[in-house]
Amino acid sequence: MNMEKLFSRVLCAAAVLSFAACADDKVADFPVTPPPGTIVDNPLDAYNPVKSYVDRTAYPNFKISAAIAGDEFNQRGLVHAAAVGNFDEIELGNEMKYASVVGDDGTMNFNTINDVLANAEKAGVSVYGHTLAWHAQQNTTWLNKLLAPIEIPVQLITDKTVDYTTATSFDGTITKAGTVKIEGGALHAVKGVKFYLIEGFPVEGGREYEISFTAKVDKTVNLTLNFCGTKLDTKVKIEPSDWNGITVKCKAPADSDNGYLEVDPSPMYGGNVYYSDASVAHYPDNTRPQTAEEMRDTLTSEMNRWVDGMMSACAGRVQAWDLINEAISGGGNVNGYYDLQHSTPGSTDFFWQDYLGSEQYGPIVEQAARKAWAKYGGKPEDLKLFINDYNLESDWDQNKKLSSLIYWIGVWEKNGAKIDGIGSQMHVSYYANESIMRSKAKAMVNMMHMMANTGKLVRISELDMGYVRADGTEATALDITAEERQQMADYYRFIIQMYLKIVPPAQQYGLCQWCLTDSKPGSGWRAGEPVGLWTTDWVRTVCYAAYCDALSQPLPETEDFFQYIAK
C-alpha cells in the first residue's frame, strides 16, 4: 500500500477520533498532521461527522444511530470512536437479547450491558434497546424447563405377586443347579442354587421398579440380585431372625420387555433361605403436561421477570425499545392480513406468541415493560415502545406486510396495549435493473407514507444496502466499482430525504445505520457485501457523504427516485 493511500485512511480515522475525544478523553491517539511531502487527495475527508449535519431546529426529535457490538464498544477503540463521533445513539446487535442475558438456569447476566451503558454515558450518546421480545436468540433450554410437565402424586401399581405360603410346588426358572422346593409354607432354597424368585411380568425399558420379598435365614447371607439382566450394585444382607421384609428399587434396561428377579446367595453360605412371598410394582408417570392456560401463565410470569430484570439493569438509561421484533409472518390469512409468525416442525426458535396467544402477545409484553419502567422510577411519557420488522418496504406484495403489522398493532391496542412507534428494518439493495429499482423505490416511498399515516413514531431501524447487478449477481466490497457505489449513495440519500420529507418532525424518531463498515468475506451478516459507510479498513465511502448530504441539503419536491437522481 502506498503512503498516499495509507495516510488517507489514517486521516479519516483521525477525524473521527479527534471529534470523539471531546466526549471521551480516553480514545486512542492518532496522528492528524500529514508527513512532509505527503499528498492527500480524498475529497471525502472534508466531510464533518455525520451527526453534525442534522438540523436540530427543523428536526428536533431526530436521532442518527449506529448498530455496534457491545464488546467492541466497551473496548473504546476505533469502532467506539466512529460510533460516538458520528452518531447520537447506539444500538447493540445482540447483547440485549434474551439468550445473551438469560442462562440455562434462568439467571441473568447484565455485565456487558452495564459496561455499555456506563461508557455510553461518558461518551454522551444514548442507547436504544433491542429487543424485549423475539422468537430468535431465546434460551430454549431454560424456557423448555419452565414448560416441562408438572410432577403429580402417584400410587404404586402392582405388576405381579407370588405367594409361596399357598404354593404346592416351584415351577420357576433355575439358573444354577440346586434344590428349590416348597416346604413348611415357604419357598426353600438350599446352598449354591440360583433362580428366579419372581418372573413373567412385563417391563418397560428405562422405567424404575420396586421389588419386595420376605425372607428368613438360619445363617447370615448376602444376596446378589439381578433384575432383567442387570446386577444390582448393592448386595442384600439378611441376618438370622424371624422373617425379614426387603424392598429394592431397580431400573429396567433399555431393551427389556420380560421381567424377572434372579437371586444368588453368597458363595460361602452353607445354610438355608426361605421366601414367603415376592411382588413387583412400578410407579406410573408422575408428571402431566401443563395445560395451555398454565403455560400461558408460566410464560407471562417469565416475560415479566425478564423485562423487570432488564429495566432494573438499565435503570432508566434506555428510554426507547423494540418491544417486539419480527412478529409478522409474511403469510397466512387473518382477516385478510398476514398472520403472526409461529413455530413450524423442526424450528429451533421459541415463539412466545404460540403460548401467550396472538392477540395477547403484544399487551402482555407492553404491560410488562411499562410496569417495570415505572417500578424503577421512569416517567411514563419518557418510555417509547416500537414494533420492529423487516420487509415493510416490500414491493412484491404492495407493502402488505406493513399493512399487516399496522393491523396487528390495532388488535393489540384494542386489547389494552399502547404502542408508540413502528421500526422498519431496511436491509435493502440498489438494483441495476431499472424496472426493479423503480418498483423498489416506489414501495419504499409508499412505506414512508403508510407509517406516517399511523400517527405513530417512525424509525428506520436497521438500514444497510447491497448492490445487485443487472445479471442478478451481487457486488462484493472487493469488486464494486466507483459508479456502482455512487448509485448506492444516491439511494441512501433518497431514502433519508424521503423520511425527512414524508414523516412529520413530531413523528420522527430517526434512523439507524446497521453496518458501519463493509462486511468481510465469511461474515455472518451479508458476507462480503459493500454495506458500510466505511470500507473494512475505515476509509470513508461515498455512502458516508450521502448521509451528510441528505441531512444538509434541501428536501426535493419529487418522490420519484429517477427524477430525484436526474436533478
Side-chain angles (χ1 to χ4, degrees), residues 430 434-446 449 490-491 493-495 497-498 501-502 555-567:
Y430 184 94
E434 184 174 326
S435 65
I436 295 177
M437 192 64 237
R438 284 185 183 277
S439 178
K440 300 290 184 185
K442 183 179 179 180
M444 184 277 296
V445 170
N446 191 49
H449 282 290
D490 290 339
Y491 194 39
R493 184 161 49 90
F494 182 67
I495 291 170
Q497 291 212 312
M498 287 302 99
K501 174 183 172 65
I502 295 169
L555 299 181
E557 293 184 7
T558 180
E559 294 182 3
D560 180 279
F561 176 59
F562 284 91
Q563 290 184 27
Y564 176 88
I565 60 176
K567 293 181 181 249

Side-chain angles (χ1 to χ4, degrees), residues 331-396:
N333 186 345
V334 178
N335 296 326
Y337 298 97
Y338 293 146
D339 195 1
L340 298 189
Q341 294 206 60
H342 292 283
S343 59
T344 56
S347 173
T348 58
D349 292 330
F350 187 92
F351 293 82
W352 294 79
Q353 55 268 42
D354 287 354
Y355 305 94
L356 302 181
S358 295
E359 294 191 359
Q360 290 300 321
Y361 180 36
I364 288 171
V365 184
E366 184 266 351
Q367 288 160 19
R370 296 197 190 278
K371 178 182 176 181
W373 174 259
K375 178 180 177 180
Y376 298 106
K379 296 179 180 179
E381 64 271 17
D382 290 340
L383 180 62
K384 305 301 178 187
L385 301 176
F386 288 75
I387 306 300
N388 188 50
D389 220 317
Y390 60 94
N391 284 347
L392 304 186
E393 76 286 355
S394 53
D395 63 328
W396 58 87

